Amino acid sequence: MHTPRVGGAALGLAAAATVMLASAPAASALGEDDASLRQRVAELEARLAELNQTSTHHWLTEQRAADIRALVQDVLADADTRASLLQGGGTAGWDNGFFLASADGNFRLNLKGLVQVRYVFNHQDDDAEDSSRGGFESRRTKLIFTGHVVDPSWIYKVQGNFSSMGGGFVLEDAFIGKALGNGWTFLAGQVKVPMQREFLVEDYDQLPVERSLVDAEFNAGRTQGAAIDYRGDWLHFTFGYTDGHTATGGTNAPALAYDTEYSLTARAEVLLAGSWDQFADLTSWKGEEFGFMLGGGIHYQDGEYGTAADEIEALQWTVDASLEFGGANLLAYVVGRHLDSTTIDLDQYGFVIQGGFFVTDDVELFARYEWGDDDISSEDLSIVTVGFNKYFSRQQLRWSCDVGYGLNEVSATWGDGLLGTGGAGAGWRTDASDNDGQIVFRTQLQLKF
């Protein structure tokens, strides 16, 4: 049947109107003036009415006109809702992580997460039936909330991890901070003890698959307390008064729990070249400028008086150097600790040197050597680790593999841990006396959002 031209034009205009009206919410969301939107809709309705009157076949029936009017009203209602949300200040999106914020900038919530799925194979050079073990684990599954409230100077962080042993949710970080101006910040809550560089760098910003056994034993873990932090153009300094080392009750404990009589920690860093942002991770990306940072820390704590537990006095120190060459990196540090109580008197030392370089734009090779003397075992810790990282989107998505070899036995101090967490989380086990040659293979897929 022949359709008059004016009817075809009306049909095309109606279709165009539907498309334009359907896109109106998006336009409103981008900030289009509401009055302008209503004027466009009114013009379209007028044109449709004109075409309806001039069409000899009156193809636009009253029912169809009513349907279009209903569609127009729905679109306007949706546009009003979106405009109301925008006027109320609600914003959300992606800014190196998902966020929610108020339009005036006084409130912000950043949501981040980390998933590390790992396969580990371990072989010990002994005659035990179970000399080789292997399996998968969710090494870390974290939720991280940061942001500010009231105004940008009041900051906060809440971070927890679903344990790889049983999946229980464990609180890691929980603090409130106040930016005081001129580079000074006050913090109160649960944080990492600000001393050892390898531990202070986040889990997802490491170079090998896992931190060294030297770090696992010597880092003081997380603790509750208060700290003052200063960061300037070339100097960064942190001083904390806390509940002390994780092993002595400093983490997730009530105020009157037995932990320490007092605990003091200080760390300083000097930026000799480059920028502070470069040293947030242990990798030097291609194209970055040369960077050089020196750091050092000291920690002292005294055990709780008048308890049945052994009152341990601990003095610990560390010195580190970090260099970045725009595609290659180097980290070296030495750490020492003196432990004194009624039953022990130990002087322990360790050092780590590691480095990496990019062989392509997204493949990085690395190596690490670590040594430790626990002042207990007959042999010192001595481990070599080599591996590679394949970056799909920098630290957000990467695949890592490494192999570690124990040149000497891994004694109980390093395998099971004396004060630190030991080697279990890193895939290492305690060797039998005088055994060496333990091998650990690890491969991991990391997703950070």
Side-chain angles (χ1 to χ4, degrees):
M1 181 178 64
H2 176 70
T3 302
R5 291 184 180 180
V6 64
L11 182 61
L13 184 56
T18 303
V19 172
M20 294 175 66
L21 291 172
S23 66
S28 178
L30 294 173
E32 183 179 75
D33 183 76
D34 187 62
S36 175
L37 179 62
R38 292 179 180 276
Q39 182 179 354
R40 290 171 59 196
V41 172
E43 291 173 354
L44 287 169
E45 286 185 312
R47 181 57 178 156
L48 287 170
E50 178 183 348
L51 289 170
N52 183 40
Q53 291 175 0
T54 58
S55 174
T56 58
H57 288 269
H58 299 286
W59 69 273
L60 187 60
T61 65
E62 288 299 324
Q63 181 59 47
R64 288 176 178 170
D67 290 342
I68 291 178
R69 291 191 188 94
L71 175 61
V72 168
Q73 295 302 318
D74 289 343
V75 169
L76 287 174
D78 185 69
D80 286 341
T81 300
R82 294 170 183 261
S84 176
L85 286 173
L86 290 173
Q87 292 167 5
T91 61
W94 173 267
D95 181 15
N96 196 29
F98 296 102
F99 75 93
L100 295 172
S102 61
D104 59 9
N106 287 332
F107 295 84
R108 183 177 173 112
L109 168 65
N110 304 307
L111 171 60
K112 296 184 179 181
L114 173 67
V115 178
Q116 291 180 337
V117 180
R118 183 180 299 180
Y119 175 82
V120 180
F121 174 82
N122 176 291
H123 174 76
Q124 289 179 297
D125 187 20
D126 58 27
D127 297 327
E129 292 182 5
D130 200 13
S131 60
S132 297
R133 296 185 191 177
F136 290 91
E137 68 174 345
S138 296
R139 175 64 177 126
R140 295 180 178 91
T141 308
K142 297 193 176 189
L143 293 177
I144 307 165
F145 302 91
T146 62
H148 58 259
V149 296
V150 182
D151 63 62
S153 70
W154 286 99
I155 62 175
Y156 64 88
K157 180 179 182 180
V158 177
Q159 174 177 309
N161 180 48
F162 293 93
S163 172
S164 59
M165 297 183 63
F169 192 71
V170 179
L171 179 67
E172 292 187 338
D173 297 326
F175 67 77
I176 303 169
K178 172 64 175 177
L180 305 174
N182 297 319
W184 291 92
T185 304
F186 173 78
L187 300 172
Q190 182 162 293
V191 296
K192 290 182 177 180
V193 176
M195 192 194 69
Q196 200 156 296
R197 170 152 167 76
E198 188 180 1
F199 180 63
L200 291 175
V201 174
E202 296 290 354
D203 302 309
Y204 45 76
D205 285 330
Q206 297 294 315
L207 188 63
V209 174
E210 189 59 68
R211 295 181 178 92
S212 65
L213 292 190
V214 169
D215 175 81
E217 176 57 32
F218 280 99
N219 81 71
R222 287 176 162 86
T223 188
Q224 297 175 124
I228 190 73
D229 182 271
Y230 169 77
R231 188 183 296 274
D233 292 338
W234 59 272
L235 176 65
H236 179 210
F237 174 82
T238 307
F239 174 77
Y241 175 63
T242 70
D243 285 341
H245 197 294
T246 295
T248 57
T251 307
N252 293 328
L256 301 185
Y258 292 133
D259 41 57
T260 57
E261 200 65 25
Y262 61 92
S263 176
L264 304 172
T265 309
R267 176 174 172 83
E269 297 171 338
V270 178
L271 186 66
L272 301 176
S275 65
W276 291 116
D277 290 343
Q278 287 179 252
F279 296 99
D281 60 21
L282 297 180
T283 293
S284 177
W285 306 100
K286 278 192 170 184
E288 284 186 335
E289 61 181 324
F290 172 72
F292 184 20
M293 185 183 76
L294 294 175
I298 187 166
H299 172 80
Y300 176 80
Q301 68 178 59
D302 200 3
E304 191 85 50
Y305 300 153
T307 68
D310 199 10
E311 297 168 5
I312 299 178
E313 181 182 17
L315 174 64
Q316 187 167 327
W317 55 269
T318 185
V319 177
D320 53 81
S322 303
L323 293 98
E324 298 198 351
F325 303 95
N329 63 83
L330 184 67
L331 167 67
Y333 71 89
V334 59
V335 59
R337 180 171 68 193
H338 175 73
L339 299 176
D340 188 18
S341 72
T342 57
T343 58
I344 60 174
D345 183 8
L346 301 174
D347 289 296
Q348 303 175 316
Y349 302 96
F351 76 81
V352 173
I353 181 168
Q354 71 177 34
F357 65 95
F358 281 87
V359 293
T360 69
D361 289 341
D362 55 12
V363 175
E364 178 185 41
L365 303 182
F366 60 79
R368 176 174 69 199
Y369 176 73
E370 54 186 297
W371 172 90
D373 176 9
D374 62 4
D375 203 17
I376 301 174
S377 308
S378 59
E379 291 190 80
D380 297 337
L381 177 75
S382 183
I383 293 177
V384 175
T385 302
V386 296
F388 70 88
N389 292 311
K390 163 64 176 176
Y391 296 96
F392 299 96
S393 180
R394 293 206 170 186
Q395 305 291 13
Q396 288 182 329
L397 184 61
R398 82 177 194 187
W399 172 43
S400 305
C401 289
D402 64 22
V403 178
Y405 182 78
L407 301 173
N408 296 333
E409 73 173 74
V410 177
S411 68
T413 297
W414 316 105
D416 296 325
L418 179 65
L419 287 183
T421 57
W428 293 90
R429 294 188 284 171
T430 298
D431 284 325
S433 180
D434 297 327
N435 278 357
D436 56 25
Q438 186 176 163
I439 298 173
V440 174
F441 168 75
R442 302 174 295 207
T443 182
Q444 175 178 277
L445 187 61
Q446 170 177 294
L447 173 66
K448 179 174 75 77
F449 60 87

